[in-house]
Amino acid sequence: MELRTSIQNQEGDMNQKRGIKYVSWIAILAMVLLLSACAQSNGQQTVGAGENDGPITNGSGAASEPSGAATGNDKGEDTGETIYLYGNDFVDFIAPKFTEDTGFKLEAVHYGGGEALAKIEAEQGNPQWDVLMMDGHGSVQSLADRDFLMKNLEPTNLEYLSEVGKDYLPEDHAYFPVGIHAAGVIAYNTTKVSSEDAPTTWEQFFDYDGPVGHADPAVAAPAYPLVSAFFDQWGVEGGKQKYVERFAKGLHVYPKNGPVGKALLSGEIEVAALQEHNAYELKLAGEPIEVIWPEEGAPGSLRVVAISKDTKNPAAAKAFVEYMLKPETQQMLTMLDSSDSFFTPLAEGVATRTEREPNGIFLLPSAMWASEHEMEIKTWFADQNVK
């Protein structure tokens, strides 16, 4: 388990260089998203059922987009207008619940991780979002380093964080951890692979003699935490070499985890590094899927909430952060009849789903390491996908 991540102050020239690199990565991301949409025969597919990464609809089938940033006043007081939440898991459920429980008006726009980051980047001159809730502390740390986020916030209920949650809390309070889950466990199709031949470690997964797959780190929010854990473990160059060898043996990269699960069921791949939500959903549905949580640990995807430094409604945004830190809120999410409820809450005393591994270890790079190497790793994967 990761010890406290100490968030150091960044030098100005480092931030400038990182900003330039990040903009370059956004161009790569646009290319990856285009390739994903084309559903090429090399394993990339359009998003299917089984992963809630599509946009929220307004009831008519049209995606719900923010109508415009709220305008505040010179004193920075809340306008009372709707605030906008960008994010992935839970946002479509939590937005109306938050409004019902607090009276603050909140509208959610449901993006995949890469899509949310690209949207935030594109809106620099006129931000349309107020709060962000997504997986991947490295990506959110990058936003903090580049001054996108409100810092030094002191929620009134910060004491609700568990000891593990406090370990993941940055010193500048640029974001707040609310949950962690496995970005990837080893899942295999039992009609294709026997229990004796199934890989039980990540070394065995990369050495497996057969087709394997996982989600695209530039598109799916949990997929960068997945691959960054491997690159952190083996070193960036060592990680690239591992993946070069794995691509040669047969590695399919899909836009998101839903299509990974479908490919596993169809037999297109025999083994997957699959987000635990999707893996347990298939197993509990009676599909021929077995799940292995490696003893050395599973790459962890840390879910965090953060506030835009440009929000015109700071009281409402802060209320959302405090709402997500409440044990009652996190317990409510673990009790949902949804595979999204497979996560470890980071509020003290909240119980987890009993069907998942109770003592699983998480492999999690520091936020600073994950942020520093994000553009390089995602760009490298994009290059592999267009070869």
Side-chain angles (χ1 to χ4, degrees), residues 1-326:
M1 186 69 69
E2 180 197 43
L3 297 178
R4 168 178 289 273
T5 301
S6 178
I7 308 302
Q8 304 293 335
N9 292 328
Q10 302 296 302
E11 297 292 339
D13 58 342
M14 182 179 295
N15 282 337
Q16 183 178 20
K17 291 178 181 177
R18 181 172 293 163
I20 293 171
K21 289 181 178 180
Y22 203 87
V23 171
S24 300
W25 173 72
I26 290 298
I28 296 292
L29 172 61
M31 177 177 65
V32 172
L33 292 174
L34 177 61
L35 290 172
S36 298
C38 291
Q40 295 182 9
S41 60
N42 64 357
Q44 293 190 338
Q45 307 173 8
T46 54
V47 179
E51 176 151 325
N52 297 325
D53 279 335
I56 292 175
T57 60
N58 57 16
S60 63
S64 175
E65 293 282 352
S67 58
T71 56
N73 53 47
D74 293 339
K75 296 180 182 180
E77 297 173 356
D78 277 21
T79 66
E81 298 182 15
T82 299
I83 63 172
Y84 292 95
L85 166 66
Y86 285 7
N88 48 4
D89 294 340
F90 296 123
V91 298
D92 45 354
F93 169 80
I94 208 66
K97 194 73 173 73
F98 169 75
T99 296
E100 176 187 342
D101 291 347
T102 69
F104 288 108
K105 292 180 289 186
L106 175 67
E107 184 173 336
V109 186
H110 197 158
Y111 291 118
E115 296 160 338
L117 295 172
K119 191 73 172 175
I120 290 171
E121 189 74 32
E123 294 175 356
Q124 285 189 69
N126 183 28
Q128 304 292 299
W129 65 285
D130 297 277
V131 285
L132 172 70
M133 183 167 72
M134 65 174 285
D135 300 332
H137 66 322
S139 299
V140 180
Q141 180 64 53
S142 181
L143 294 177
D145 292 343
R146 299 171 54 231
D147 202 28
F148 280 75
L149 306 181
M150 181 184 294
K151 299 179 181 178
N152 301 312
L153 181 68
E154 291 293 336
T156 59
N157 56 357
L158 197 58
E159 73 275 6
Y160 290 149
L161 271 178
S162 66
E163 289 304 311
V164 173
K166 291 174 183 176
D167 287 342
Y168 296 137
L169 179 69
E171 291 182 352
D172 63 1
H173 290 193
Y175 57 83
F176 299 87
V178 294
I180 186 171
H181 69 275
V185 291
I186 296 174
Y188 66 93
N189 186 322
T190 58
T191 68
K192 298 289 185 179
V193 184
S194 68
S195 58
E196 293 80 10
D197 294 333
T200 60
T201 69
W202 293 115
E203 287 280 359
Q204 292 174 6
F205 172 84
F206 276 84
D207 291 339
Y208 179 75
D209 187 18
V212 304
H214 65 59
D216 191 329
V219 181
Y224 177 62
L226 172 74
V227 301
S228 65
F230 299 142
F231 278 75
D232 179 50
Q233 178 179 352
W234 293 318
V236 173
E237 294 307 314
K240 289 178 182 178
Q241 184 59 39
K242 281 278 190 183
Y243 268 101
V244 167
E245 295 170 358
R246 184 60 260 182
F247 273 113
K249 293 177 182 177
L251 172 65
H252 296 252
V253 177
Y254 301 85
K256 299 183 181 181
N257 280 283
V260 177
K262 286 187 173 182
L264 188 62
L265 280 178
S266 72
E268 181 174 87
I269 58 176
E270 298 174 356
V271 183
L274 187 58
Q275 181 177 220
E276 70 165 297
H277 305 168
N278 304 80
Y280 284 111
E281 181 178 37
L282 293 173
K283 180 178 179 178
L284 293 176
E287 300 290 357
I289 301 298
E290 189 53 70
V291 179
I292 297 173
W293 194 300
E295 288 188 7
E296 73 266 31
S301 185
L302 187 67
R303 179 175 295 118
V304 303
V305 291
I307 299 175
S308 168
K309 75 177 182 65
D310 295 313
T311 183
K312 302 301 190 296
N313 295 280
K318 181 182 179 184
F320 180 75
V321 170
E322 293 176 339
Y323 188 77
M324 291 308 305
L325 288 171
K326 291 174 59 177

